[in-house]
Amino acid sequence: MSYTVELLEIIHRTHNVNSYRVEKPAGFQFTPGQATDFSLLKPGWENEKRPFTFTGLPSEKYLEFTIKSYDDHDGVTHHLRSAQQGDKFEISDPWGAIAYQGEGVFFAGGAGVTPFIAILRFLNQQNKLGSNVLFFSNKTESDIILQEEFTAMLGKNFINIITQQPDTNYLHTRINKSFLEQHVSNFSQPFYVCGPDAFSAAILKDLEALGAHPNSLVFEK
């Protein structure tokens, strides 16, 4: 089923990421971590559907999407940059395989953090963040999405990895097998992985090699 929704508000997050809050259709429900098929209701763009994750809370009166814009080509996210209050979008019923399975470790690469935003916000709302850890990999410090919010929620369990900025105040490395051996002590807990395809594939492979059970790996299949 599809729904037409109106843009209510745009919130600037980083130099190329905004949150878009849209009206919530009556009775619409989703589980934190799920996504929707999203399109712009503009001439020529109605059938250009893209998967975007809900980043707000299910209890909120609006739906929120936190989206990185890619300006190197004339695509949906580029056009979103010029969206204005009152613009119309189309969304589908929610779908997705990323769902919370219990306390564990989250690995996010860039905009791949979006499924984890709603999950961690929901756990925070329920006072159930527990010992969850988020490793967040970005090219530069300016790419870190919701840095203050993640820090407030997770404290020392929010760990930033920067790959292309040598003068960073954070870990200047990559998430690979040796990194996992150094920073993860329990490979029997759930692991949540989302990011570019190569990023996710490499981490999932290394986690299994280190003893993580395939059933404990949560990712978009």
Side-chain angles (χ1 to χ4, degrees), residues 2-194:
S2 61
Y3 310 83
T4 298
V5 295
E6 182 176 316
L7 178 59
L8 304 174
E9 183 181 10
I10 302 173
I11 303 171
H12 180 71
R13 300 298 190 186
T14 74
H15 61 100
N16 60 2
V17 175
N18 291 319
S19 289
Y20 301 85
R21 292 180 175 174
V22 306
E23 61 184 348
K24 187 177 188 177
F28 192 93
Q29 297 180 334
F30 68 93
T31 300
Q34 286 189 310
T36 185
D37 295 315
F38 178 106
S39 62
L40 308 171
L41 292 184
K42 296 173 62 175
W45 290 93
E46 298 92 339
N47 295 319
E48 294 294 326
K49 299 187 183 300
R50 299 292 184 272
F52 291 136
T53 307
F54 301 101
T55 55
L57 292 166
S59 59
E60 289 167 333
K61 295 181 179 179
Y62 54 80
L63 299 174
E64 181 187 280
F65 304 94
T66 300
I67 298 171
K68 179 179 179 179
S69 286
Y70 297 88
D71 295 328
D72 56 351
H73 63 282
D74 186 32
V76 171
T77 65
H78 173 72
H79 280 265
L80 268 174
R81 267 197 189 275
S82 58
Q84 297 180 354
Q85 185 178 359
D87 283 358
K88 300 290 180 66
F89 309 135
E90 184 176 275
I91 63 172
S92 70
D93 284 323
W95 55 268
I98 296 180
Y100 188 60
Q101 305 292 334
E103 288 185 21
V105 182
F106 293 77
F107 295 100
V113 78
T114 54
F116 305 152
I117 295 173
I119 290 173
L120 294 171
R121 282 176 167 173
F122 182 74
L123 292 173
N124 188 50
Q125 182 191 50
Q126 304 293 315
N127 293 315
K128 293 181 178 178
L129 275 171
S131 60
N132 283 298
V133 176
L134 170 61
F135 289 99
F136 193 8
S137 177
N138 286 283
K139 292 180 180 178
T140 71
E141 292 180 12
S142 66
D143 296 317
I144 302 172
I145 302 168
L146 298 181
Q147 182 174 7
E148 291 184 4
E149 184 175 352
F150 283 134
T151 299
M153 287 195 293
L154 297 168
K156 63 180 176 58
N157 286 344
F158 174 41
I159 301 160
N160 285 291
I161 296 102
I162 301 298
T163 61
Q164 295 184 18
Q165 181 184 336
D167 63 343
T168 179
N169 293 313
Y170 301 111
L171 295 173
H172 182 230
T173 184
R174 293 184 179 275
I175 302 174
N176 52 29
K177 191 174 181 180
S178 61
F179 180 95
L180 295 172
E181 289 176 313
Q182 181 179 353
H183 293 275
V184 178
S185 58
N186 174 16
F187 287 93
S188 64
Q189 62 187 320
F191 293 98
Y192 306 85
V193 183
C194 191

